[in-house]
Amino acid sequence: MEDLVTGSETGLKFLNIYIYKERSWTENLVRRAEAAGFHGFVLGLAKRNPAASRAIVHSPATSYANIKQFTQAVDPSDPEFPMPDVSVTWSDVAWLKSITRLPVIIKGVLSARDAIQAASAGADAILVSNHGGRQFCPVPAPIDVLPEVVAAVGHQCEVYMDGGVRSGANLFTALALGAKAVFVGRPILWGMACEGVQGVEKVLEIYKKDLTHTMIMAGVADVNKIPSDVIIHKEKLSKL
C-alpha cells in the first residue's frame, strides 16, 4: 500500500479493508495506512462464500502483498484464502472505528434497512455498491437503490455510489439522485491497460467532458446543485 501513496501527492486515498479472523492482521493494515497518509478506510460488507466463488480464480502467481508477512506458508490459490471473518457483525464496525482516527466508509449497502444499521453502527459514509456484480448476480443495480438509501441516511452521513458508471451521463444521474461522490473502477483499469497513466488520464477526461455536456443539455450550471427531478425513471415512462 505504501507504493500507491508514493508519487501521489494529490487526491483522496482510501484503503479497501476487511476484518480478518486474526484481528491483528486488520490492525496492522490500519496502522500502516495511517502512517502512509491514507485518508480513510472502505470496509466491504460482502461475505465471500468460497464454494460459490466460481468467477474468482487465483493464479499461482497471486500475491497478497499487504498481508504477506502473515501468509508466507499459505497457498494463494486456495479459494478459502485470504478469508475475511464471515462472523463479522455491525458491532465490528465500532471495533474498527475504535482503533483508528480515520473515517470508515461502509461499502456494499443495497437497502435502506442496511443503510440505517450502518449509520447507527458509526459509519462516516456509505458506499452503495454491489461489488461489480461479482459476488452475487441477482442483486439490484446500485443506481436503483441509491434514492432509498439517500432518503434513509443522507441527513446523517454522506452517501456514495459505484457500479455501472460508464459515462458522464451515468455520473450525472447518480449525483442527481443524491450521491455525494461516484466511484469508477473497471474503465480506469482499461485505460491503464491500454496506455498506462496517460490512459487513465484520458478516461477521466472523457468522463469530465461527457458530464459537462450532460449538464449543458440538462440546463444545470453547478455540479453541486443537480436537481433530482431531471431524472425520470423508466417506470413512469411506461405508464404514459
Side-chain angles (χ1 to χ4, degrees):
M1 71 176 77
E2 290 82 3
D3 292 342
L4 295 177
V5 176
T6 303
S8 177
E9 299 179 354
T10 61
L12 295 175
K13 304 173 189 67
F14 298 110
L15 180 68
N16 193 78
I17 198 168
Y18 292 99
I19 296 177
Y20 293 97
K21 293 178 181 179
E22 293 291 340
R23 293 296 192 269
S24 60
W25 295 11
T26 302
E27 189 162 1
N28 174 270
L29 293 175
V30 167
R31 297 290 166 254
R32 288 172 57 195
E34 289 177 337
F38 280 84
H39 299 96
F41 298 101
V42 178
L43 176 62
L45 288 185
K47 295 184 177 181
R48 277 184 54 201
N49 177 7
S53 297
R54 293 170 296 179
I56 303 176
V57 179
H58 295 285
S59 164
T62 298
S63 173
Y64 298 98
N66 287 330
I67 54 174
K68 65 181 179 181
Q69 67 267 43
F70 304 117
T71 61
Q72 302 261 339
V74 182
D75 180 4
S77 65
D78 182 349
E80 294 192 13
F81 182 83
M83 190 68 175
D85 189 352
V86 296
S87 68
V88 166
T89 66
W90 292 111
S91 64
D92 291 293
V93 176
W95 171 79
L96 180 59
K97 286 184 62 64
S98 74
I99 65 170
T100 183
R101 55 184 171 77
L102 298 179
V104 174
I105 303 165
I106 303 297
K107 178 184 178 183
V109 173
L110 288 172
S111 70
R113 178 190 62 190
D114 282 350
I116 292 170
Q117 287 185 299
S120 298
D124 296 291
I126 288 171
L127 177 52
V128 178
S129 172
N130 63 12
H131 305 286
R134 298 182 300 107
Q135 299 292 338
F136 189 53
C137 293
V139 293
I143 195 68
D144 287 334
V145 299
L146 176 62
E148 70 175 76
V149 171
V150 171
V153 299
H155 60 288
Q156 293 178 259
C157 62
E158 291 192 341
V159 177
Y160 312 141
M161 193 204 84
D162 75 5
V165 182
R166 298 294 181 263
S167 68
N170 294 154
L171 199 160
F172 178 90
T173 300
L175 295 175
L177 295 179
K180 293 297 183 182
V182 181
F183 288 63
V184 178
R186 287 173 182 148
I188 297 297
L189 299 180
W190 297 336
M192 184 181 297
C194 288
E195 297 184 30
V197 173
Q198 290 185 339
V200 173
E201 292 174 345
K202 285 183 180 180
V203 168
L204 293 175
E205 187 61 28
I206 290 171
Y207 273 102
K208 183 178 179 180
K209 288 182 178 179
D210 196 28
L211 174 61
T212 300
H213 174 71
T214 304
M215 290 176 62
I216 292 172
M217 299 306 294
V220 177
D222 189 339
V223 72
N224 295 306
K225 297 179 180 179
I226 303 176
S228 60
D229 60 6
V230 299
I231 306 301
I232 301 176
H233 198 277
K234 62 182 179 181
E235 290 181 358
K236 292 184 178 180
L237 293 177
S238 65
K239 297 177 182 179
L240 294 178

